[in-house]
Amino acid sequence: MKNVTPRRPFRLLTTGVAALLLGITGAQSTYASPVLPSCPAAEIFATDNTAIITDPDDPRLTTRLRHFDHEVRGIIRAHGARPGDSTLLDGVFWSDELKQTTYERSREFDVNRVGPERLRGIAGIIAKQYDQEAVLTFRCLPRTSPETDAVEIEVPGVKASDLRKGLVADPEAREKLGGGSVTLDGRLVLIAEIADLPLARKFTEALGADWSEAQVQYGEREFVG
């Protein structure tokens, strides 16, 4: 996928995490927020787009990726996993090469009955079939798991245009977060390294979102190409 994979897609979950207030130990404890209420076994973020889109009004950004949705569900099912819900995303990413924001429509696919190896295999097939550099996967895990290396953050009240302006204005967020996605109902979705959670909170609040409404989930992310 372009930009929504190694250039970062974002919204990820799985099973087995209690619905408690989620805290970060030590100096990061002020960044606690509720965990996401439910998690599939994994999530895959993908697109069939191969173009670099720099115009936010490009008509290609209005696609609902319905055929792509149907095809990816078929791939998931054919390789022994169970597809769940699929969410349409508007991705906004910063390109260091172009020195400007780029845009992409993508979908997040919930995947159940899948382990890490099978998940990696499915993502690799999607990347190859749709000529993507990589496809992002996320497995939801307990905060204390040795495999946990990232957080997924969802916050309501953000538009794609807000995200674009925020990335343009914040060099640190551009460098470390790379970008993010927004659902059609206005939920910001970020995937970040655990160490960058304080930065993600600062960036989110600068966009005008209320961090007290944020939901955070720990897990393992992987870019599969």
Side-chain angles (χ1 to χ4, degrees):
M1 138 186 233
K2 222 196 124 329
N3 287 337
V4 175
T5 41
R7 301 160 285 222
R8 292 173 175 152
F10 315 71
R11 178 187 176 269
L12 315 118
L13 321 165
T14 30
T15 56
V17 180
L20 307 171
L21 288 182
L22 181 61
I24 301 179
T25 59
Q28 295 181 349
S29 61
T30 56
Y31 299 100
S33 60
V35 298
L36 289 165
S38 62
C39 297
E43 292 191 356
I44 293 174
F45 292 79
T47 185
D48 62 357
N49 177 60
T50 57
I52 296 174
I53 300 175
T54 58
D55 179 3
D57 296 318
D58 192 297
R60 288 172 291 185
L61 299 174
T62 63
T63 177
R64 297 190 68 86
L65 296 175
R66 290 191 176 95
H67 186 63
F68 177 69
D69 180 26
H70 176 76
E71 290 183 335
V72 170
R73 286 174 180 277
I75 292 171
I76 293 170
R77 193 176 293 109
H79 290 83
R82 176 177 290 180
D85 293 338
S86 169
T87 302
L88 192 62
L89 300 172
D90 287 318
V92 182
F93 309 97
W94 179 261
S95 169
D96 282 331
E97 182 179 354
L98 298 175
K99 301 302 179 186
Q100 68 180 96
T101 48
T102 63
Y103 306 90
E104 185 168 74
R105 267 282 169 98
S106 66
R107 277 190 174 272
E108 172 274 317
F109 297 89
D110 292 352
V111 186
N112 293 296
R113 294 188 177 180
V114 66
E117 292 302 320
R118 181 169 291 175
L119 177 65
R120 187 176 299 115
I122 292 171
I125 290 167
I126 294 170
K128 182 177 181 179
Q129 182 162 326
Y130 297 99
D131 194 25
Q132 302 298 305
E133 280 188 24
V135 167
L136 176 64
T137 67
F138 188 94
R139 293 193 301 131
C140 179
L141 297 168
R143 178 173 59 86
T144 55
S145 170
E147 297 174 283
T148 294
D149 61 11
V151 290
E152 183 270 338
I153 303 160
E154 288 194 14
V155 192
V158 176
K159 297 182 292 186
S161 58
D162 299 329
L163 181 55
R164 180 190 66 79
K165 292 175 184 176
L167 289 174
V168 170
D170 191 332
E172 185 180 17
R174 295 201 304 260
E175 178 185 353
K176 294 187 175 182
L177 302 178
S181 294
V182 178
T183 64
L184 298 192
D185 62 355
R187 286 179 290 118
L188 174 68
V189 182
L190 295 174
I191 300 298
E193 294 182 5
I194 291 176
D196 290 332
L197 182 54
L199 171 63
R201 173 175 179 168
K202 178 183 175 183
F203 179 67
T204 297
E205 291 178 329
L207 299 181
D210 183 353
W211 184 258
S212 69
E213 298 184 15
Q215 294 178 314
V216 177
Q217 181 63 62
Y218 287 93
E220 179 189 40
R221 68 176 181 179
E222 183 175 3
F223 295 104
V224 181

